[in-house]
């Protein structure tokens, strides 16, 4: 097995000057996405409008579902596959930026996934707004050599153009929805509709040509709508659509309760993780109840809940009241900019302690990554830049934890190192500097992201492979750094076996 980031700094991708061959897969011209660009933020305004003037995605989703059922999609939304009792599938989340970090994942994804039965894209298939013409370089081109079907659940960015392109690509070329009657003037619905972002005229003209990249019969995947269930081998995989604001409408909630019944082991795939960044987010359902209540119900027999949206890897093994262990996983590191892990506080949530918790990148690598990024961006490299050993040491000091990588030499933690860690939002133990830490973290996570500045390795991207048998599910998180070493043999950053018997 190759070294992972938990073994050596080289295994994390530090110090290498040998980038992988992923650049050969990329188109000649790549759109540079920056979430600090006001034009990009304005195009992606629908999430803010939904929070201010009411969220229309439940109604729109219901119209999409009704359209697909009228066209012959199964009413129970179950895809029944003929996979054997032993099979494998891939999960990759938040992929669609179409730039270096996304394409850096592709060679390892293809290598690890070459014998798998299918893949699932978990949230945010296309950035920035789910446009139809963006599917060429952000979906069809990067995954053209993956020879199995790809299913998907939409993320909030796919909803920024009312899910039209997503439905065309994944739901049997679904036609556009007919226009709704105009709302009454000057009400909340009217204000929202006046400001709402919609697809530009002519968007999607290149989509039919782009489909040729994944036109082989073995790659065909048709799903009944934006949420679905897959019966495959001994398990049922359930994908839910959490829309713009991370919630479920009442109709989808009733469907989820129905398909969750029965003793068959189940895995949830969601666009909004239920445990993330040391916090519990149970995901409310319109009309009452939460997704996590359904997942925890012993009669439903869920064994894992995997969520995208957050662009890294995290795992929380939660012990439930009846003694079962349910694996809550964040798996959104498939291509978009990296969300920091060094801002995650010392974990104590749902009975999960720091000793049980796993994340990738390691917090120290995350802090070192951001220090170099902002050293370049602010032209203060000598001040901001931390070595990976300095970053790991200051994280261990602030959280009161041991080293997460193999032992190295002594590291001097200077006032500069501590100040940089504070400025970049590094978490502390509860009760230590909390009054100062919380506003800094809020400002940091609201204003800063790597975005278009991260076009050289290591990228700290990841994807999952799940090997299913009647006895259990082996879940492995593989790293993709953009370096040749990890491209040729993607290291395993985390692995857990989930029993089914």
């Amino acid at each position: 097995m190759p070294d992972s980031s938990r073994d050596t700094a080289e295994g994390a991708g530090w110090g290498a000057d040998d980038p992988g061959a992923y650049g050969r897969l990329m188109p000649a011209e790549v759109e540079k996405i920056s979430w600090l660009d006001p034009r990009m933020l304005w195009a992606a305004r629908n999430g803010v409008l939904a929070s201010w003037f009411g969220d229309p995605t439940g109604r729109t989703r219901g119209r999409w579902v009704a359209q697909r059922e009228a066209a012959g999609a199964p009413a129970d939304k179950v895809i029944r596959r003929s996979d054997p009792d032993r099979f494998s599938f891939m999960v990759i989340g938040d992929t669609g930026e179409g730039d270096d970090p996304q394409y850096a994942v592709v060679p390892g994804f293809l290598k690890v996934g070459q014998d798998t039965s299918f893949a699932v894209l978990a949230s945010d298939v296309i950035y920035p707004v789910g446009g139809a013409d963006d599917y060429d370089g952000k979906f069809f081109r990067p995954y053209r050599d993956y020879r199995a079907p790809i299913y998907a659940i939409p993320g909030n960015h796919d909803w920024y153009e009312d899910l039209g392109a997503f439905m065309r690509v994944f739901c049997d070329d679904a036609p556009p929805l007919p226009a709704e009657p105009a709302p009454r003037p000057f009400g909340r619905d009217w204000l929202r509709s006046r400001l709402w972002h919609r697809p530009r005229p002519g968007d999607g003209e290149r989509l039919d040509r782009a489909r040729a990249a994944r036109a082989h019969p073995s790659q065909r995947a048709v799903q009944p709508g934006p949420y679905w269930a897959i019966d495959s081998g001994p398990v049922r995989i359930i994908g839910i659509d959490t829309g713009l604001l991370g919630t479920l409408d009442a109709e989808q909630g009733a469907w989820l309760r129905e398909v969750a019944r029965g003793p068959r082991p189940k895995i949830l795939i969601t666009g909004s993780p239920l445990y993330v960044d040391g916090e519990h987010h149970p995901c409310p359902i319109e009309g009452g109840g939460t997704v996590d209540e359904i997942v925890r119900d012993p009669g439903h027999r869920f064994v894992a809940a995997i969520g995208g949206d957050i662009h890294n890897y995290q795992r929380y093994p939660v012990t439930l009241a009846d003694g079962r262990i349910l694996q809550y996983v964040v798996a959104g590191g498939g291509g978009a900019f990296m969300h920091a892990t060094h801002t995650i506080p010392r974990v104590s949530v749902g009975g999960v302690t720091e000793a049980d918790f796993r994340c990738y990148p390691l917090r120290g690598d995350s802090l070192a990554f951001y220090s170099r990024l902002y050293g370049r961006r602010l032209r203060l490299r000598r001040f901001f830049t931390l070595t990976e050993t300095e970053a790991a040491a200051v994280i261990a000091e602030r959280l009161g934890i041991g080293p997460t990588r193999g032992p190295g030499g002594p590291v001097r933690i200077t006032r500069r190192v501590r100040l940089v860690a504070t400025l970049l939002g590094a978490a502390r133990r509860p009760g230590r500097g909390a009054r100062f830490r919380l506003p800094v973290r809020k400002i940091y996570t609201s204003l800063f992201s790597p975005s278009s500045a991260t076009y050289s390795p290591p990228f700290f991207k990841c994807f999952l492979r799940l090997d299913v048998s009647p006895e259990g599910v082996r879940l492995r998180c593989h790293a993709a750094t953009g370096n040749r070493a990890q491209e040729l043999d993607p290291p395993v950053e985390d692995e857990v076996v989930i029993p089914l018997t």
Side-chain angles (χ1 to χ4, degrees), residues 45-368:
R45 63 188 178 271
N46 285 0
V48 175
L49 295 176
S51 66
W52 288 353
F53 300 116
D55 184 2
T57 55
R59 184 177 69 250
T60 304
R61 185 187 296 116
R63 296 176 70 212
W64 281 121
V65 168
Q67 182 207 73
R68 300 318 304 145
E69 289 184 4
D76 62 3
K77 302 169 188 62
V78 177
I79 303 164
R80 293 172 172 86
R81 294 179 51 86
S82 58
D83 300 306
D85 282 349
R86 298 180 186 275
F87 75 98
S88 303
F89 70 101
M90 307 291 285
V91 176
I92 184 169
D94 298 81
T95 53
E97 283 201 351
D99 49 19
D100 293 64
Q102 179 178 5
Y103 278 86
V105 179
V106 173
F109 176 84
L110 294 177
K111 182 179 179 66
V112 173
Q114 60 186 342
D115 62 341
T116 53
S117 298
F118 58 89
V120 176
L121 297 188
S123 181
D124 291 341
V125 180
I126 300 295
Y127 293 97
V129 294
D133 283 335
D134 286 339
Y135 272 84
D136 184 6
K138 300 177 182 182
F139 174 71
F140 289 108
R141 184 185 183 103
Y143 308 118
R144 61 188 174 186
D145 293 326
Y146 181 68
R147 305 304 289 179
I150 297 177
Y151 305 96
I153 56 166
N156 57 310
H157 288 268
D158 301 303
W159 268 101
Y160 286 158
E161 292 190 351
D162 293 328
L163 213 62
F166 180 97
M167 296 296 292
R168 286 184 64 183
V169 170
F170 294 103
C171 301
D172 205 21
D173 209 13
L177 293 173
E180 289 190 288
R184 295 178 60 182
F186 308 113
R188 291 206 317 166
D189 290 353
W190 181 84
L191 287 171
R192 184 185 62 233
S193 69
R194 299 286 291 181
L195 297 171
W196 200 251
H197 170 82
R198 292 178 174 84
R200 64 181 182 273
D203 186 48
E205 292 178 349
R206 301 194 302 269
L207 188 56
D208 288 339
R209 184 178 60 189
R211 292 179 194 272
R214 282 189 52 84
H216 193 274
S218 67
Q219 297 173 312
R220 179 170 171 77
V222 175
Q223 57 190 61
Y227 56 93
W228 41 259
I230 298 174
D231 283 350
S232 184
V235 299
R236 170 169 283 186
I237 302 157
I238 300 176
I240 59 174
D241 170 17
T242 56
L244 283 172
L245 301 181
T247 62
L248 263 62
D249 62 276
E251 180 182 353
Q252 185 181 181
W255 168 85
L256 177 60
R257 291 183 176 98
E258 184 64 29
V259 296
R261 292 178 179 175
R264 189 172 194 161
K266 298 173 186 72
I267 298 170
L268 182 76
I269 311 287
T270 170
S272 299
L274 303 180
Y275 280 84
V276 60
D277 293 345
E279 299 174 349
H280 182 211
H281 297 270
C283 188
I285 299 173
E286 180 187 21
T290 68
V291 170
D292 200 32
E293 288 174 357
I294 297 172
V295 168
R296 288 169 176 258
D297 188 321
H300 297 159
R301 208 180 168 198
F302 280 87
V303 297
I306 302 171
D309 189 52
I310 302 301
H311 307 164
N312 53 46
Y313 172 82
Q314 302 172 43
R315 181 170 63 84
Y316 301 81
V318 175
T319 301
L320 304 181
D322 61 359
R324 291 178 299 132
I325 296 177
L326 210 156
Q327 300 290 342
Y328 291 87
V329 176
V330 178
F337 70 85
M338 185 195 85
H339 278 131
T341 58
H342 65 266
T343 59
I344 302 173
R346 182 174 175 133
V347 170
S348 179
V349 61
V352 179
T353 67
E354 185 67 32
D356 308 314
F357 170 70
R358 294 290 182 272
C359 69
Y360 175 79
L362 300 177
R363 292 183 180 98
D365 289 331
S366 170
L367 179 58

Side-chain angles (χ1 to χ4, degrees), residues 477-498:
C477 172
H478 288 269
T481 67
N483 290 322
R484 185 176 300 275
Q486 288 82 32
E487 188 175 275
L488 294 174
D489 199 357
V492 176
E493 290 292 336
D494 186 35
E495 179 173 351
V496 63
V497 176
I498 306 168

